[in-house]
Amino acid sequence: MIKVGIIGVGTVGTSVANILKDNADVISARAGVDIVVKSGVVKNLNKERGLDIKLTDNVDDILDDKEIDVVVELMGGVEEPFSVVKRALESKKAVVTANKALLAYHRYELQDIAKDIAFEFEASVAGGIPIINALRDGLSANHIESIMGIMNGTCNYMMTKMTNEGVAYDAILKEAQDLGYAEADPSFDVGGYDAAHKLLILASIAYGIDAKPEDILIEGIENVTQDDISFAKEFGYAIKLLGIAKKDKNEVELRVHACLIKQDEMIAKIDGVMNAISVVGDKVGETLYYGPGAGGDATASAVVANIIDIARSGKSTPMLGFNRPMEGDKLSLKPTQNIESKYYLRVNVSDRAGVLARITKIFEEHSISVETMLQRQSDNGSANLLISTHVAIERDIQAMMSELETLDFVNTKPVMIRIV
């Protein structure tokens, strides 16, 4: 029998306990052993949870319990769960976590601590989609050329509603909060940080890249308007918040931001709260993984699958996919300023003679070639210039954006969205 302790019996933790009970027959048949929850840690012992397991508010009751074989960490946060997981591994207990923030900052330290102790984290990226297993095991014969995905359901829900129903950003954010898709403070989701944590985990498995959130490009969807969506539709694009990892020779670029993506791309067709991740391998080509990226049962399904893996074979796979560094192919993180892309810009200007000529001249001075330009009249004698470029370098775009912002006929800070 495998005995499990759950640290953090909230929505996902409750679902883990229920799945292990409700599906005990199929789980024991697949694992080859019975798996039961012995106890769980909660913050509030007075809250009714409808579970018939022992609850405590002291993590030591699980970490010091010699009968517990697997610790499931569902606390949230970074440093406190790091301390808890470290203690569990040092006590020779296997660990399963859904904590993407913990792994975004401490995944390599935890790999060193874990050594031969099983440490699994399928639920940390894209909820119920088995993307970790696919990338680490199923595609292990491939050099990974790129990863591109919708990794945050809140942003995808909001962009879908803004695109399909013409809803303004502020209105759809409130709706997402009312539905429970967005938190009272939504910045972690809409600012791109949640997706960035997930991207960093995938990049470690694909490329062995040890980067922190502060090292990569992270932007959100806060500045997307109906003008941008209208431009995207007119030229055959959809706008999505994407996490992107791309290998270029011996460098890997990592970035999270809103993107204009061609409507006929598979990722562009993913709507609502669903997640989808495209992985391109040098031998297999493109593969796509689609499903619910959050929610109690979906995330718990991945947690329980990891527990079953541990029950079957203990530790059978390197935590981050590599038993040793790749010889002759050491990859480094590409500096953000060196990223190359096409770009879309929205510049609100005073509608007067000479403005368009000056804007065009500034593009030329920064070696940026314009592909398309539209003018949309706005209020109070102003106009929105909607511009797309040919491929340019990030540093040149940023320098031009800074210059545009200083001009007396530019009324608001210009908005830029990358095109993939």
Side-chain angles (χ1 to χ4, degrees), residues 1-5 17 20-21 24 27 33-39 53 68-70 307:
M1 178 180 291
I2 299 291
K3 294 185 178 180
V4 176
L20 286 170
K21 179 182 177 181
I27 289 170
V33 64
D34 292 337
I35 301 174
V36 298
V37 178
K38 182 179 181 185
S39 57
I53 63 173
I68 288 179
D69 305 292
V70 180
I307 299 172

Side-chain angles (χ1 to χ4, degrees), residues 42 48 75 81 86 106 117-118 134 173 198 287 290 293 323 325 378 392:
V42 297
E48 178 56 44
M75 301 168 65
K86 180 180 177 182
H106 293 300
I117 306 299
L173 175 58
K198 298 169 184 175
T287 57
Y290 167 83
N323 273 314
S378 188

Side-chain angles (χ1 to χ4, degrees), residues 329-392:
D329 194 22
K330 179 67 174 176
L331 300 175
S332 60
L333 184 65
K334 176 180 279 191
T336 297
Q337 292 300 305
N338 292 348
I339 289 171
E340 295 184 15
S341 177
K342 292 185 175 183
Y343 295 84
Y344 156 85
L345 292 91
R346 169 167 41 88
V347 188
N348 185 266
V349 298
S350 300
D351 190 9
R352 64 178 191 241
V355 167
L356 191 57
R358 180 67 181 122
I359 292 287
T360 303
K361 182 64 174 175
I362 290 172
F363 271 75
E364 181 182 341
E365 289 169 352
H366 288 274
S367 302
I368 296 168
S369 174
V370 172
E371 183 172 10
T372 61
M373 180 181 293
L374 297 177
Q375 181 170 324
R376 294 282 187 262
Q377 294 305 120
S378 188
D379 298 327
N380 303 320
S382 66
N384 278 324
L385 298 181
L386 310 177
I387 305 163
S388 68
T389 76
H390 294 285
V391 173

